[in-house]
Amino acid sequence: MTLTDTQASPIARTGSRRTVLMCRPDHFTVSYRINPWMHPEDPTDTSLAVRQWETLHQAYLELGFDVQLIEPIAGLPDMVYAANGGFVLDGVAYGAKFTHPERAAEGPAYMEWFAQAGYEVRVPEHVNEGEGDFLLAGDVVLAGSGFRSTTDSQDELAAVFGREVIGLELVNPSYYHLDTALAVLDPEPEADAEPTIAYLPSAFSDASLEVLRMRFPNAIIVSEADAAVLGLNCFSDGSTVVIASRALGFAEQLRERGYTPVGVDLSELLLGGGGVKCCTLELRR
Ligand code: ARG
């Protein structure tokens, strides 16, 4: 048996310092149901959510990230999922416009934060849930639709940033945001290099799967079991990948590719249908 290249010599990866926005889950609970993970009849433990979130916050600080914080607002229990607050690139913040009225007030709250932090804010015309559905992969933006962000918002996004936007249709309600079904592992790939991505094939329509296979032939294919603990909802600096601690198979796949997985347990925030990436909005000047 011959070893494949990746097994014989994992690539030495270097991480880069990320700047992210997070929101403490001081008001986290599950009081409504807008995705299949949410069961308002079941109890939640806000202080446990805060403690778990703090381990994620601490992991980012230890990686040397610049972590910015937005003040949580009472009555907006999902505000902890900062990824949905917008999409920020080249110093421009394209605001979110939420699908469900329960989260509507988060859009303006995040836009206000972007403005005071010095980002040029673009108020959205079309429904979109920010980095929950928009992921930068090298020069292009991968954009999920099907449950939340509309395809119209993809055109708006392309116009705002002048980037190619690749639309991907999601088909499984449990993977309602793109960042629950796909992860970009190289935030700053070398020019012309294919960024490494990981995804769950069954979360996408046949046509979108074909697009993924064509554009990302070297992608990591993640198992149903790892996706079901929101393993794909991870955050990478290009070397270290902060990931759900229960996604053991995916962690091993990452190691084979030269990444260093760091597990965190966000079980309480999983009750709202979110994980590591959901709690993290990348800020790019
Ligand atoms: N309860 C939230 C919702 O359904 C969870 C959001 C998770 N965020 C994410 N980026 N996937 O909207």
Side-chain angles (χ1 to χ4, degrees), residues 230-265:
L230 288 189
L232 280 162
N233 197 250
C234 60
F235 191 78
S236 174
D237 71 357
S239 172
T240 300
V241 186
V242 183
I243 177 184
S245 47
R246 287 192 282 160
L248 297 176
F250 183 34
E252 191 48 40
Q253 289 173 300
L254 288 168
R255 273 185 217 102
E256 284 165 9
R257 298 286 189 110
Y259 297 95
T260 306
V262 168
V264 294
D265 178 10

Side-chain angles (χ1 to χ4, degrees), residues 6-261:
T6 47
Q7 283 168 330
S9 56
I11 312 153
R13 308 216 174 245
T14 33
S16 55
R17 183 170 188 258
R18 315 314 303 166
T19 300
V20 299
L21 177 62
M22 299 179 74
C23 180
R24 263 173 75 94
D26 288 346
H27 307 290
F28 174 75
T29 186
V30 176
S31 54
Y32 49 79
R33 186 164 207 242
I34 56 173
N35 71 54
W37 303 79
M38 302 174 86
H39 297 283
E41 64 283 7
D42 293 347
T44 50
D45 181 340
T46 305
S47 66
L48 177 58
V50 170
R51 287 198 302 282
Q52 292 182 337
W53 177 92
E54 273 165 358
T55 62
L56 178 64
H57 181 233
Q58 190 57 35
Y60 288 159
L61 294 179
E62 280 165 21
L63 285 169
F65 290 9
D66 175 0
V67 183
Q68 303 283 315
L69 298 174
I70 181 172
E71 199 57 41
I73 298 173
L76 296 177
D78 276 340
M79 199 172 165
V80 58
Y81 305 114
N84 299 125
F87 181 79
V88 185
L89 181 60
D90 304 332
V92 175
Y94 173 52
K97 185 171 175 179
F98 285 83
T99 312
H100 300 97
E102 292 89 340
R103 297 195 68 183
E106 293 181 47
Y110 275 93
M111 281 190 268
E112 209 172 288
W113 189 91
F114 298 138
Q116 65 76 35
Y119 293 91
E120 182 187 329
V121 176
R122 297 298 177 86
V123 179
E125 217 174 286
H126 296 288
V127 168
N128 82 87
E129 298 194 353
E131 229 176 37
D133 276 321
F134 303 141
L135 295 172
L136 184 68
D139 292 334
V140 306
V141 183
L142 305 180
S145 67
F147 297 99
R148 303 289 181 89
S149 304
T150 58
T151 50
D152 283 343
S153 74
Q154 297 174 359
D155 299 333
E156 197 174 14
L157 185 80
V160 169
F161 294 102
R163 304 267 181 145
E164 182 191 357
V165 174
I166 302 177
L168 297 169
E169 197 193 346
L170 298 163
V171 297
N172 180 339
S174 291
Y175 304 111
Y176 55 93
H177 276 141
L178 183 64
D179 72 356
T180 63
L182 185 149
V184 177
L185 300 167
D186 301 321
E188 292 174 22
E190 310 251 311
D192 296 328
E194 176 194 329
T196 307
I197 69 163
Y199 64 90
L200 174 71
S202 66
F204 296 91
S205 69
D206 290 345
S208 296
L209 198 49
E210 198 45 43
V211 171
L212 287 171
R213 287 187 176 130
M214 294 282 293
R215 305 275 305 218
F216 302 96
N218 300 309
I220 299 175
I221 302 301
V222 169
S223 71
E224 297 283 341
D226 288 329
V229 292
L230 288 189
L232 280 162
N233 197 250
C234 60
F235 191 78
S236 174
D237 71 357
S239 172
T240 300
V241 186
V242 183
I243 177 184
S245 47
R246 287 192 282 160
L248 297 176
F250 183 34
E252 191 48 40
Q253 289 173 300
L254 288 168
R255 273 185 217 102
E256 284 165 9
R257 298 286 189 110
Y259 297 95
T260 306

